Amino acid sequence: MIEALVKNRSYTQKSASILGAAMAGLLLAAIQASSDGAVSTRVVATVNDTAISAYQVTQRIKLLKILRPRLVSGSRKQQQKAALQDLIDEKLKTEEARKLKLLLPNERVEEIISKTPGLKNLATRLKSQGLSSRLVNSYIATRMSWNRILSNKYPNQSVTDEQVAARTAQFRRDLQKQAAEHTVSIYELLQITLPVDKQATPELTNEVARSRLIEADDITRRFKSCSSARKATRGVFNVRIGKRIPADPRKMPKQMRQTLDRAGPGSAFVAGVTADRSAVNIMAYCGKKRIAPEAPKITPDMVKQRLEDERFENLGKSYLRDLAKNAFIEYKDASLRK
């Protein structure tokens, strides 16, 4: 009986120990979960009576990395500041739209998104990155409502023909400068191929290849320019002259560039027999050609729209500054103040 009691007591102590460890683990997990939740719901700022949480800042960073990556390209703290400021601006715009009865309802926003391919693709892309439908719709609704406010407040924002002409000329000068900065000199090469017919034995094939090498050497001696390549190959059976090949000198071996520069345009070299013994190749140097990136087409209508958008944007910034002055904005986290 005593042994049974001792055994039972030992078992009870062991069970209590295991149970205690389990309870401690659960308690620690609960504390951790509570801590994580506190961080995500921690209020970092208020705009009038609307709170902005740390979680909203994190979500806004994700959004801006997709839509406006340059705005959140700095350190983590800089990203948080930029995201918080964007959220503050959004709250001010939303309140103003609600006050003026110009805030688009969610149902209307969803309808517009579904009927506008560009917005529909944008919403799909944002949601695929883990952003909620509510956040995406709110972001789009705020911007659409803000545009309605500005359109009502500043209905006539036309620009003069003189302003359009001056900005068009400036754009074209800038594009020419950029093109000059990115212009590169490329080498133009021409490949001439002398096929080697496969013979009954490898030895005979090698003999034909040697004969073709002699013919190739004769061609390089007669070669004067790529435009007269056909003349240099006259009298040689079965010759294929390819198209001119642009070669970026930045991607060429240094020794190859030096060889071409020493030989100069109008020179040709026997490149050798291909690995499968099916052809003898000649590489000819046609010369250098300067290539500039293709400049985008600039039209007066495009410039006019750009000028009107800029004026609209500047008026919007001024309007937003006035809203911020009259609002009660409190930073709960002083380190996030811009």
Side-chain angles (χ1 to χ4, degrees):
M1 176 67 73
I2 294 174
E3 289 180 0
L5 287 172
V6 171
K7 287 182 180 179
N8 189 46
R9 183 181 178 187
S10 175
Y11 174 78
T12 303
Q13 289 175 337
K14 185 177 180 181
S15 299
S17 177
I18 294 172
L19 181 61
M23 290 297 292
L26 289 171
L27 181 60
L28 182 62
I31 292 172
Q32 182 65 43
S34 175
S35 175
D36 291 344
V39 170
S40 64
T41 59
R42 177 172 59 89
V43 174
V44 294
T46 58
V47 180
N48 295 327
D49 58 349
T50 305
I52 299 174
S53 70
Y55 175 75
Q56 288 175 298
V57 171
T58 301
Q59 290 295 98
R60 184 51 56 103
I61 290 173
K62 289 174 63 177
L63 181 73
L64 293 175
K65 281 185 176 180
I66 299 170
L67 298 180
R68 301 168 66 189
R70 293 181 64 181
L71 190 64
V72 286
S73 60
S75 66
R76 181 64 180 174
K77 182 61 70 176
Q78 290 171 329
Q79 291 177 12
Q80 291 172 332
K81 287 182 178 181
L84 178 57
Q85 186 58 51
D86 196 63
L87 284 165
I88 290 172
D89 292 346
E90 184 174 284
K91 301 299 181 188
L92 293 171
K93 292 174 182 178
T94 301
E95 286 186 7
E96 185 70 0
R98 187 177 288 112
K99 185 179 82 173
L100 298 175
K101 295 182 171 52
L102 292 173
L103 183 64
L104 286 169
N106 189 59
E107 298 77 14
R108 177 60 179 151
V109 173
E110 290 184 346
E111 181 185 353
I112 293 173
I113 291 173
S114 66
K115 293 181 178 179
T116 310
L119 287 177
K120 188 175 182 179
N121 292 337
L122 174 62
T124 301
R125 181 186 172 199
L126 294 175
K127 291 171 187 175
S128 70
Q129 298 298 315
L131 297 167
S132 68
S133 298
R134 182 179 177 183
L135 185 150
V136 172
N137 289 358
S138 173
Y139 182 85
I140 294 174
T142 300
R143 273 135 192 84
M144 293 175 68
S145 300
W146 183 243
N147 287 339
R148 294 176 74 188
I149 293 173
L150 296 180
S151 297
N152 284 0
K153 189 172 180 65
Y154 310 108
N156 298 313
Q157 292 305 315
S158 58
V159 294
T160 65
D161 292 340
E162 290 77 12
Q163 290 173 317
V164 172
R167 181 60 72 87
T168 301
Q170 180 186 334
F171 277 144
R172 286 175 177 162
R173 285 194 300 270
D174 292 343
L175 289 172
Q176 288 173 355
K177 182 179 179 181
Q178 291 174 13
E181 291 173 351
H182 293 88
T183 297
V184 295
S185 293
I186 64 163
Y187 291 79
E188 279 195 317
L189 306 177
L190 179 70
Q191 182 170 303
I192 301 173
T193 303
L194 281 65
V196 174
D197 295 330
K198 188 175 181 180
Q199 303 299 309
T201 65
E203 291 75 15
L204 288 174
T205 300
N206 288 338
E207 188 64 33
V208 173
R210 281 192 287 271
S211 298
R212 296 298 262 170
L213 279 169
I214 294 171
E215 290 178 317
D217 189 58
D218 288 340
I219 291 172
T220 60
R221 295 175 190 278
R222 295 194 298 268
F223 192 88
K224 300 299 180 184
S225 68
C226 291
S227 58
S228 61
R230 185 64 62 186
K231 183 178 180 181
T233 61
R234 189 175 298 162
V236 180
F237 173 73
N238 194 11
V239 178
R240 299 172 187 169
I241 300 176
K243 294 181 179 179
R244 297 192 184 196
I245 305 168
D248 189 338
R250 296 168 297 183
K251 299 178 181 179
M252 293 168 60
K254 182 179 179 181
Q255 187 176 359
M256 184 177 181
R257 291 199 310 270
Q258 291 175 341
T259 300
L260 292 175
D261 289 338
R262 280 196 300 267
S267 55
F269 312 87
V270 178
V273 184
T274 58
D276 60 357
R277 319 296 286 178
S278 64
V280 172
N281 286 325
I282 297 172
M283 189 61 68
Y285 175 29
C286 306
K288 288 183 180 180
K289 184 178 181 181
R290 290 179 64 80
I291 294 183
E294 185 177 354
K297 187 177 180 181
I298 301 295
T299 66
D301 286 342
M302 292 168 60
V303 175
K304 183 179 180 181
Q305 185 62 53
R306 174 71 176 270
L307 286 170
E308 290 176 351
D309 289 346
E310 286 179 358
R311 181 170 293 186
F312 215 54
E313 184 179 352
N314 290 332
L315 289 169
K317 288 179 179 178
S318 176
Y319 192 169
L320 191 59
R321 281 195 297 270
D322 291 339
L323 292 178
K325 287 178 184 177
N326 297 321
F328 179 71
I329 301 172
E330 183 180 6
Y331 291 85
K332 303 293 185 180
D333 186 341
S335 68
L336 296 181
R337 186 188 296 272
K338 289 200 77 173

